[in-house]
Amino acid sequence: MAPPSGSPAIPSCSPSIAPWRCFSVWSERSVTLQPLVVETIPPALQEASDRLILAARSPATLRAYRTDWAAFVAWCRVQSVTALPAQPETVVAWIASRLEQGRKAATLARGVAAVSCAHELAGFESFSRARLVQDALRGMRRTLGTAPTRKAPATVDLLRRMLDVQPDTLIGRRNRALLALGFAGALRRSELVTLEVGDLVPQEGGALLTLWQSKTDPDGTGQTIGILNGSIIRALDYLSTWCEAAGITSGRLFRSVDRHERTGASLSDRSVARIIKTAAEAVGLDPERFSGHSLRAGFITSSAEAGADALLIAETSRHQSLDVLRSYVRRASLLKTHAGHRFL
C-alpha cells in the first residue's frame, strides 16, 4: 500500500537516534522516529555526542548532504515511495530522474553519497555495495563522462588587472587584500574566510601563515606556509592597508562591509566566489568562467608557467596528491615543452 502523499512512510524500527539527529535530515513536524527502546542518555551527553558526530564531516559537506537528502525526500514524496529505508530501485530511479534534469556526474554521485550517509546514520545499510545503484552510477559516468568542469585560473597577469580595478573604498581595499592573499597562499575560499589576524607572523620579506583547519587537514593539526610580499602582487601590503583602514587588530581578517563602510561579521565562502567573479567581470571577462577556486588555481598555474618545481609548488598549495598537482603543471607546459618544437 502506497504511503500517503503528505509524508514518506517510516517503518517501525530501531535506528541510531543520536547520529540521526546530527544529520538533521527530517523536519520534526514531518516525522517522529519510533525506537523500540526508550532513550536513557542524559540530554547534555546526547548533545555532546551529536556535536562529535557532526564534527566528523566538514560544514560544507554537511550542507551539501542536507540539500541532496532534502531533494531525495521531496522526490520520494512526489513519487509516493518510501525514502527511509529506500529500496535500491528507488535510488536508481532518482539517479535517472536527475540525469534527465541535466545534473552533472559529480552532483549525482554526491547525491547518492548523501542518501547512503543518511541511511547509515539512521541505522540502515547504505548503498555503497548495492549492485543496482553501483551499476546505475557506472552507467551515468559512461553516459556523461567524468571530466570535471574546470574553472579559469586567475593567473598573475589577470590578477594584476583585477587588483588595479578595485575602487579606493573600504570594500575595495578588502577585496584587493583578499584577492592578493588568496593568490599568494594558493588558498581555498573556505580557508580565506576563517583566517585570523594572529595566524600571520611577519618575517623578513614576507610572513608565515598558519592554517589551522583545511580540506587536507580536517583534524586541525595546522599547516604553515610562507607568504611572500614580493614586488608585483604585494599581498601583505594590501592586507596591512585593509586592516588599518578597517581598524582590525584581532579576530577575523576578512569581514563584511555595509554601504556605510561599517565592518560586520566574517565573510562566507560564497562571498569569496562573488568577489572573484565580480573582479573578473570588471576587467571584461565572463564571470561564469571563474569561481572561488580560481585564485588557488591561478597561483599553481602561474608557478608552473614560471618553471617552478612541483615539490616547491606543493609546499604552498599543500596538495596531498602530486598527481593532481602535476595535472596543473602539465597543462601549463603543454606548448612550452612540446616534442615538436625543433621541427614543427
Side-chain angles (χ1 to χ4, degrees):
M1 184 176 179
S5 58
S7 65
I10 303 296
S12 179
C13 57
S14 181
S16 176
I17 298 300
W20 180 256
R21 282 178 175 159
C22 284
F23 202 64
S24 300
V25 290
W26 288 97
S27 166
E28 291 183 0
R29 296 181 180 179
S30 299
V31 62
T32 301
L33 294 173
Q34 299 294 329
L36 297 179
V37 295
V38 178
E39 293 181 85
T40 58
I41 300 175
L45 190 56
Q46 182 72 72
E47 290 177 7
S49 65
D50 288 355
R51 287 194 297 272
L52 276 179
I53 296 171
L54 272 176
R57 296 170 178 83
S58 72
T61 298
L62 283 174
R63 284 196 301 270
Y65 277 16
R66 284 169 175 151
T67 298
D68 289 335
W69 175 251
F72 178 69
V73 171
W75 181 86
C76 287
R77 185 175 290 119
V78 171
Q79 305 299 324
S80 295
V81 293
T82 301
L84 185 79
Q87 297 299 314
E89 293 84 355
T90 299
V91 179
V92 170
W94 184 57
I95 295 173
S97 173
R98 302 194 102 193
L99 184 61
E100 290 180 353
Q101 294 170 3
R103 301 301 176 92
K104 297 179 181 178
T107 303
L108 294 173
R110 189 194 68 195
V112 173
V115 172
S116 292
C117 181
H119 277 68
E120 287 178 346
L121 292 180
F124 300 110
E125 286 192 29
S126 74
F127 297 98
S128 59
R129 295 185 180 180
R131 181 62 181 267
L132 282 177
V133 176
Q134 295 309 308
D135 281 351
L137 288 175
R138 278 191 286 270
M140 173 268 295
R141 287 190 286 267
R142 289 173 64 90
T143 301
L144 295 179
T146 57
T149 301
R150 296 190 181 277
K151 294 294 186 177
T155 52
V156 63
D157 291 336
L158 175 55
L159 182 72
R160 291 176 67 183
R161 293 166 57 194
M162 290 179 168
L163 296 174
D164 288 343
V165 298
Q166 296 304 312
D168 192 24
T169 61
L170 193 59
I171 290 178
R173 294 186 183 101
R174 180 203 63 193
N175 292 354
R176 195 177 286 120
L178 184 146
L179 292 168
L181 185 62
F183 177 88
L187 300 176
R188 300 175 177 88
R189 61 181 184 173
S190 59
E191 296 165 347
L192 274 168
V193 298
T194 58
L195 291 179
E196 303 263 340
V197 173
D199 295 338
L200 273 164
V201 179
Q203 303 283 315
E204 184 177 354
L208 297 181
L209 173 63
T210 300
L211 303 166
W212 293 109
Q213 198 162 50
S214 66
K215 181 180 178 181
T216 55
D217 181 28
D219 295 334
T221 56
Q223 297 172 311
T224 300
I225 61 173
I227 302 292
L228 288 178
N229 193 41
S231 59
I232 298 174
I233 301 303
R234 308 195 325 274
L236 298 177
D237 289 347
Y238 288 134
L239 189 62
S240 177
T241 299
W242 150 246
C243 288
E244 183 177 348
I248 296 174
T249 58
S250 62
R252 288 281 195 256
L253 266 178
F254 297 113
R255 308 176 188 185
S256 61
V257 179
D258 66 18
R259 60 190 180 91
H260 300 295
E261 297 207 336
R262 293 176 301 203
T263 58
S266 58
L267 292 175
S268 68
D269 56 358
R270 291 190 180 95
S271 297
V272 173
R274 283 195 294 270
I275 289 169
I276 296 169
K277 288 175 177 287
T278 301
E281 187 173 25
V283 296
L285 299 173
D286 180 4
E288 293 307 311
R289 294 180 55 230
F290 296 84
S291 72
H293 188 69
S294 292
L295 297 177
R296 178 174 170 82
F299 174 87
I300 297 168
T301 302
S302 297
S303 298
E305 289 175 344
D309 182 78
L311 289 176
L312 281 178
I313 299 174
E315 286 187 5
T316 299
S317 68
R318 297 156 287 122
H319 272 92
Q320 289 186 324
S321 168
L322 285 182
D323 289 338
V324 175
L325 181 57
R326 287 192 185 102
S327 70
Y328 285 95
V329 176
R330 180 177 178 275
R331 284 197 302 274
S333 60
L334 278 175
L335 296 179
K336 289 184 178 181
T337 59
H338 197 284
H341 263 307
R342 293 180 180 273
F343 58 85
L344 289 178

